[in-house]
Amino acid sequence: MHHKKGRWLALIAVLLVLCGVGGWFGYRHYSLGVISDKQIIKNINSHLLKNNPTSKQTKSYAKIVKSTTRTLDNAYVKVNPYGTSPLTALMIFKTDKAAKVTYTVVGKTDNTSITNTVKGYQTTHQVPIVGLYANYSNQVQVTLTYKDGTTEQKMFTIKTGKLPKNLRNTKITVSKSNKSKMEIGNNELTYINKTSEEPFAVDADGNIRWYSTLYSRHTFVQLSNGHLLIQNRTNGNKGSYNVLSETDYLGRIYRRYRFSDKLGKSSLEQYITAVHHDALELPNHNLLVTISGGDKYAEDVIAEIDYKTGKTVKVIDFKKLLPSSMYRNYNSTTTKGGKIDWLHMNSLYYDQKTGNLLVSARNQDITMSINYKTGKINWIYSGKKKSSWPKKYRSKLLTPTKGTKITGGQHDLTLLSDKNGKLKVLLYDNNIDVTNGDSKTSGKYSQAVQYTIDTKKMTIKQTWSYGKSLGKANFTRVIGSAQRLSNGNTLIDFGYKNNGSQSNIIEVDSNNNQVFNLTISSSKTDRTYVYRALRVKFTPSNFVFDATK
């Protein structure tokens, strides 16, 4: 009996010790400000907005399409059909025989015309016209092609109004435009994602050919259905950037994802922003976004948003992946509304082939790869000394080859190719030593850089760069992007030149010859800058427009 009692007492003692240890670790975990994934999902509070601001236009255009007797000669034309995209128009008319419609917005100079074809042969036609000039009588040629090969043409004059004040005050200067060597085929324009202002797009002459009156923040994604994902605000041009809108170039809203207002502030301005830097579309069409978790830290969580419901279905908190010393001992003065911005994730890239996710984190000067499904780290590239990493991380660290530069405050990490465990990646290296960057070169230049990563040998080799020769004049301590174009050229956004008074967008060929150079200068009262510049198709081939549904 005494033996049994002794065993029970011993068991209780062990349980008390375990509870104490578990409680201590739980308390320590909590004391560092780390919260559960369940709580993060609750804090994010993502959901679909039920009210659609373009529903009235949808009903109106459905009636027009259904009842129209207009022919090509007297087609219905509505400029700015949804009230937020003034350099677009919707054309509606009928033909007796099924025809395919092609339109061309005639450019003012060579290689600036924009031509698009509406898919399929119909007798009732809805033509989404994109690429008009502002404050101009645009010449738009519409061509009908019938199944027997015969054609019919008509030239329309479509007048547009002035640019809004913000864009009129934005000085755009093109110092180089070698159109024969630029990547401008397939109606490609350069999309300008200015922070906290109207996003717009320019042609090779620097003329604005599209803009949205909906103020946008960082996020711009072309979805697989040809729609756009843009970050907006629920209250017009005031308040929080708390909404991701699925829209199109004409301004029609398809759905809107709403997030909490209490997740954090941007680093450069006092606007509350939920999805702060990047978003992408997963193969299942769900959205993956960089976000804050609603705890004492900022911009260190990624969340998967269900495309149909708007609910958050998964989160990854990088405080649970990286060493706790990184956020526990972070002493930078950069904070967001009192929150500690220790990581500052600013770009995501998902590799459909492997299921791996590439991440750039500015405030630790690191790039890394994780498996999205398992959350396990594949590799990390960092200037942080190997000996200062906990032992369990050291096998994940890439070793740079001779002449390979460490990144600092970098942006826009993308995967160019993945063959037999060798990755080619591209990024924009701001080259500022935030915590673990290159202190010797910090602040002297910024550049686009291409690396080859050997995941078997765990090495990284710099194979190409552009920007160092431009020196301090093109140094940008924040923001910027690099995009490899289909013709092999690279489009680089030196987005915060001269401390934010200018953004310099340069396209170079494979031999580092400039073929395009555009500078955007802010007015004295307008200190916005280009977060990213992207060469995109207006409109993409997978876009099918129907104003009635």
Side-chain angles (χ1 to χ4, degrees):
M1 190 73 179
H2 290 291
H3 292 296
K4 288 183 179 180
K5 184 178 180 180
R7 285 198 298 270
W8 275 109
L9 288 172
L11 180 59
I12 291 170
V14 170
L15 289 172
L16 287 172
V17 169
L18 290 174
C19 287
V21 171
W24 182 83
F25 278 113
Y27 170 77
R28 181 175 179 273
H29 203 55
Y30 175 78
S31 68
L32 294 176
V34 180
I35 59 178
S36 68
D37 290 354
K38 185 177 180 180
Q39 184 62 50
I40 291 174
I41 291 173
K42 185 178 179 180
N43 291 345
I44 292 172
N45 190 27
S46 62
H47 54 279
L48 281 178
L49 286 175
K50 293 181 180 180
N51 60 316
N52 189 321
T54 61
S55 58
K56 289 183 179 179
Q57 289 98 325
T58 301
K59 292 178 182 179
S60 174
Y61 297 138
K63 289 179 181 179
I64 293 172
V65 170
K66 186 177 180 180
S67 62
T68 190
T69 57
R70 292 172 178 254
T71 65
L72 179 63
D73 288 333
N74 66 340
Y76 171 89
V77 179
K78 176 67 174 177
V79 176
N80 194 12
Y82 296 97
T84 60
S85 189
L87 301 185
T88 67
L90 173 60
M91 179 180 289
I92 299 171
F93 62 93
K94 281 192 172 183
T95 52
D96 293 333
K97 299 185 297 182
K100 182 181 289 187
V101 179
T102 297
Y103 75 84
T104 296
V105 179
V106 179
K108 293 181 179 180
T109 65
D110 292 343
N111 295 305
T112 56
S113 293
I114 291 180
T115 299
N116 279 302
T117 299
V118 180
K119 283 187 176 181
Y121 291 84
Q122 292 95 22
T123 55
T124 300
H125 305 280
Q126 304 174 53
V127 186
I129 297 172
V130 177
L132 303 173
Y133 290 93
N135 196 27
Y136 188 66
S137 294
N138 291 269
Q139 297 301 297
V140 180
Q141 181 174 284
V142 176
T143 302
L144 303 181
T145 303
Y146 298 99
K147 291 183 178 180
D148 62 4
T150 59
T151 61
E152 182 180 350
Q153 288 186 338
K154 180 176 173 60
M155 186 72 79
F156 290 83
T157 298
I158 300 180
K159 295 182 179 181
T160 53
K162 293 181 180 179
L163 293 170
K165 185 178 179 180
N166 281 342
L167 293 183
R168 291 201 307 271
N169 289 341
T170 300
K171 185 179 179 182
I172 301 173
T173 305
V174 176
S175 61
K176 185 180 289 291
S177 179
N178 189 338
K179 297 175 185 178
S180 65
K181 294 185 178 181
M182 289 176 63
E183 174 58 65
I184 53 175
N186 298 313
N187 304 322
E188 291 181 71
L189 299 176
T190 304
Y191 177 87
I192 306 296
N193 194 358
K194 294 187 79 178
T195 58
S196 309
E197 206 179 270
E198 298 100 335
F200 64 94
V202 299
D203 61 20
D205 294 335
N207 285 314
I208 294 177
R209 306 291 295 276
W210 176 88
Y211 72 94
S212 171
T213 59
L214 293 175
Y215 276 40
S216 180
R217 193 81 182 138
H218 294 114
T219 305
F220 173 86
V221 179
Q222 278 196 327
L223 300 174
S224 59
N225 58 8
H227 295 170
L228 306 176
L229 191 70
I230 298 179
Q231 188 176 12
N232 300 131
R233 300 188 267 206
T234 51
N235 187 22
N237 296 335
K238 297 180 180 179
S240 306
Y241 286 89
N242 49 20
V243 172
L244 284 179
S245 298
E246 181 185 348
T247 182
D248 60 31
Y249 290 107
L250 272 71
R252 182 177 177 183
I253 301 292
Y254 296 89
R255 62 186 66 208
R256 296 190 297 166
Y257 302 90
R258 178 72 155 84
F259 300 84
S260 170
D261 291 330
K262 301 177 181 179
L263 296 177
K265 292 185 179 180
S266 69
S267 58
L268 300 177
E269 301 179 64
Q270 294 306 305
Y271 297 116
I272 302 290
T273 176
V275 178
H276 51 80
H277 279 87
D278 210 359
L280 58 81
E281 180 184 15
L282 292 168
N284 63 1
H285 303 300
N286 285 357
L287 307 176
L288 197 63
V289 301
T290 54
I291 203 162
S292 297
D295 53 17
K296 64 186 287 186
Y297 301 95
E299 302 190 1
D300 55 3
V301 172
I302 56 175
E304 181 178 343
I305 311 301
D306 187 282
Y307 174 75
K308 294 180 179 179
T309 68
K311 298 294 184 183
T312 302
V313 295
K314 178 179 178 178
V315 295
I316 297 179
D317 183 352
F318 276 65
K319 290 188 295 296
K320 297 167 187 174
L321 287 183
L322 293 169
S324 62
S325 60
M326 281 186 166
Y327 60 88
R328 188 176 70 241
N329 300 332
Y330 189 75
N331 58 8
S332 171
T333 56
T334 304
T335 60
K336 304 191 175 204
K339 297 178 182 292
I340 302 170
D341 186 23
W342 68 280
L343 190 62
H344 196 100
M345 278 189 286
N346 57 27
S347 79
L348 300 174
Y349 185 95
Y350 182 81
D351 181 7
Q352 294 190 28
K353 179 181 176 182
T354 61
N356 292 332
L357 185 70
L358 272 63
V359 178
S360 166
R362 177 189 188 272
N363 284 0
Q364 291 294 332
D365 303 315
I366 65 172
T367 55
M368 60 189 297
S369 168
I370 67 170
N371 183 272
Y372 179 62
K373 185 177 181 180
T374 64
K376 292 183 178 180
I377 296 172
N378 296 315
W379 53 261
I380 297 172
Y381 184 44
S382 167
K384 185 179 172 69
K385 291 183 179 180
K386 190 171 185 177
S387 59
S388 66
W389 287 84
K391 289 183 179 180
K392 70 174 184 177
Y393 292 93
R394 294 176 189 175
S395 63
K396 305 297 183 182
L397 301 177
L398 298 177
T399 300
T401 61
K402 187 178 181 180
T404 295
K405 187 189 171 300
I406 296 164
T407 61
Q410 72 293 317
H411 286 74
D412 201 18
L413 173 66
T414 57
L415 177 68
L416 300 178
S417 66
D418 179 0
K419 295 182 180 179
N420 301 319
K422 290 188 177 181
L423 314 181
K424 291 182 179 180
V425 300
L426 180 72
L427 57 78
Y428 180 79
D429 179 18
N430 295 78
N431 191 27
I432 181 169
D433 180 16
V434 183
T435 52
N436 301 296
D438 186 344
S439 59
K440 292 181 180 179
T441 63
S442 179
K444 294 182 179 179
Y445 60 88
S446 298
Q447 62 181 357
V449 189
Q450 181 177 324
Y451 297 98
T452 295
I453 297 171
D454 189 327
T455 57
K456 295 177 181 178
K457 296 180 179 179
M458 294 300 286
T459 58
I460 181 168
K461 180 180 180 180
Q462 181 174 323
T463 58
W464 174 87
S465 67
Y466 181 83
K468 185 176 181 180
S469 62
L470 303 178
K472 198 166 185 176
N474 274 57
F475 168 71
T476 58
R477 64 181 179 83
V478 294
I479 67 179
S481 62
Q483 179 190 15
R484 180 60 45 79
L485 306 175
S486 59
N487 67 350
N489 290 357
T490 306
L491 187 73
I492 309 166
D493 169 35
F494 298 90
Y496 201 78
K497 185 178 176 179
N498 293 337
N499 206 30
S501 63
Q502 291 182 326
S503 296
N504 189 198
I505 298 158
I506 297 174
E507 179 181 346
V508 295
D509 64 17
S510 57
N511 295 317
N512 283 0
N513 298 309
Q514 289 191 19
V515 299
F516 182 62
N517 190 314
L518 178 147
T519 297
I520 297 174
S521 302
S522 299
S523 66
K524 292 181 180 179
T525 57
D526 170 26
R527 298 289 289 178
T528 57
Y529 7 83
V530 179
Y531 174 64
R532 281 183 184 172
L534 297 167
R535 190 67 52 74
V536 294
K537 293 180 181 179
F538 281 68
T539 57
S541 59
N542 54 348
F543 174 59
V544 177
F545 181 78
D546 189 342
T548 69
K549 297 179 181 178

